Amino acid sequence: MSERFNYEPERETYSAARVKALESLLIEKGIISSDTLDKVLDFFETDFGPFNGAKLVAKAWVDPEFKTRLLADTPGAIAELDFPRGMTGAEGEYMELVENTPTVHNLIVCTLCSCYPWSMLGLPPYWYKDPTFRARAVREPRKVLQEFGLELDESVEIRVWDSSAQIRWFVLPERPAGTENLSESELATLITPEAMMGVAKVEAPAS
Ligand code: FE
């Protein structure tokens, strides 16, 4: 088992079973209804998710003036777009975007717990909350990125941003070469949550 994940390989199956058991109990005891759960799930499928961040990044790639505003005042630029509920509240506040360039690569982490820009990236993957990832991302980011399959040239500076309740960081990835003819919405489909966390780059579509 890699050091990155301190959990048993069956962790996801175990978590799913535990969630199911909790859900049944909460419904059985009348604390929540199944409608409540459907609403919450629906919210993360349609309102809060990485598709919002992807929309933002694609717009920044095609509109340099928007990009300037977005980097200078991330929540202000987000408010310009027609996102549901304006994207404030529920971990949507105090977001800041940092830009990857050919010489600087950014990585986000929350060393304290799991602060994350939910409204733009959705819920964080389980490894983001892993104490080992949180410690190692700061201590040896280059090595951690290699384990994610991201090999950066030694000359590229890696900056690690520690999110908290005050600032939730995310990454403006580089636009890949070979995407000059793609539309804004086509570009958005290429942008993954991993790229906006800084553990991957955006890949051009295979031609
Ligand atoms: Fe946190």
Side-chain angles (χ1 to χ4, degrees):
M1 197 187 319
S2 101
E3 200 203 340
R4 196 167 97 220
F5 304 127
N6 266 337
Y7 301 105
E8 295 302 317
E10 303 81 28
R11 178 175 188 268
E12 293 297 278
T13 318
Y14 173 75
S15 293
R18 194 163 61 158
V19 166
K20 192 88 211 141
L22 270 174
E23 179 186 336
S24 309
L25 262 179
L26 288 169
I27 292 171
E28 192 185 301
K29 292 188 179 291
I31 296 168
I32 58 169
S33 70
S34 56
D35 282 358
T36 317
L37 278 173
D38 289 344
K39 263 187 205 154
V40 172
L41 292 177
D42 189 55
F43 182 69
F44 283 102
E45 275 167 15
T46 59
D47 285 8
F48 270 27
F51 37 84
N52 291 330
K55 193 173 160 186
L56 206 62
V57 168
K59 186 170 174 60
W61 282 350
V62 300
D63 181 344
E65 284 173 15
F66 178 75
K67 183 174 123 178
T68 304
R69 293 197 298 279
L70 183 62
L71 290 167
D73 172 11
T74 305
I78 289 171
E80 291 178 29
L81 299 188
D82 189 21
F83 284 123
R85 291 163 232 221
M87 289 298 145
T88 54
E91 306 234 348
E93 322 88 337
Y94 318 119
M95 289 187 286
E96 282 210 38
L97 194 62
V98 280
E99 183 183 17
N100 281 352
T101 69
T103 53
V104 175
H105 183 89
N106 298 285
L107 171 67
I108 64 159
V109 65
C110 172
T111 55
L112 187 66
C113 43
S114 58
C115 299
Y116 192 72
W118 286 9
S119 62
M120 290 296 126
L121 300 196
L123 294 174
Y126 74 95
W127 54 260
Y128 186 78
K129 303 177 233 176
D130 181 320
T132 309
F133 169 77
R134 282 154 39 201
R136 290 188 61 217
V138 185
R139 217 170 57 221
E140 44 181 10
R142 200 172 291 273
K143 193 152 181 274
V144 168
L145 291 178
Q146 279 167 353
E147 290 169 27
F148 273 95
L150 184 56
E151 197 76 46
L152 296 171
D153 193 88
E154 278 299 319
S155 65
V156 175
E157 180 194 345
I158 300 176
R159 293 184 190 158
V160 182
W161 300 89
D162 192 3
S163 286
S164 67
Q166 274 75 46
I167 298 181
R168 296 186 181 90
W169 301 98
F170 63 121
V171 177
L172 175 60
E174 285 177 275
R175 179 172 176 169
T179 57
E180 293 72 19
N181 298 325
L182 298 186
S183 69
E184 190 178 326
S185 54
E186 286 167 334
L187 287 168
T189 63
L190 307 176
I191 299 157
T192 61
E194 288 77 14
M196 292 182 283
M197 300 170 80
V199 297
K201 287 188 179 255
V202 176
E203 305 287 342
S207 52

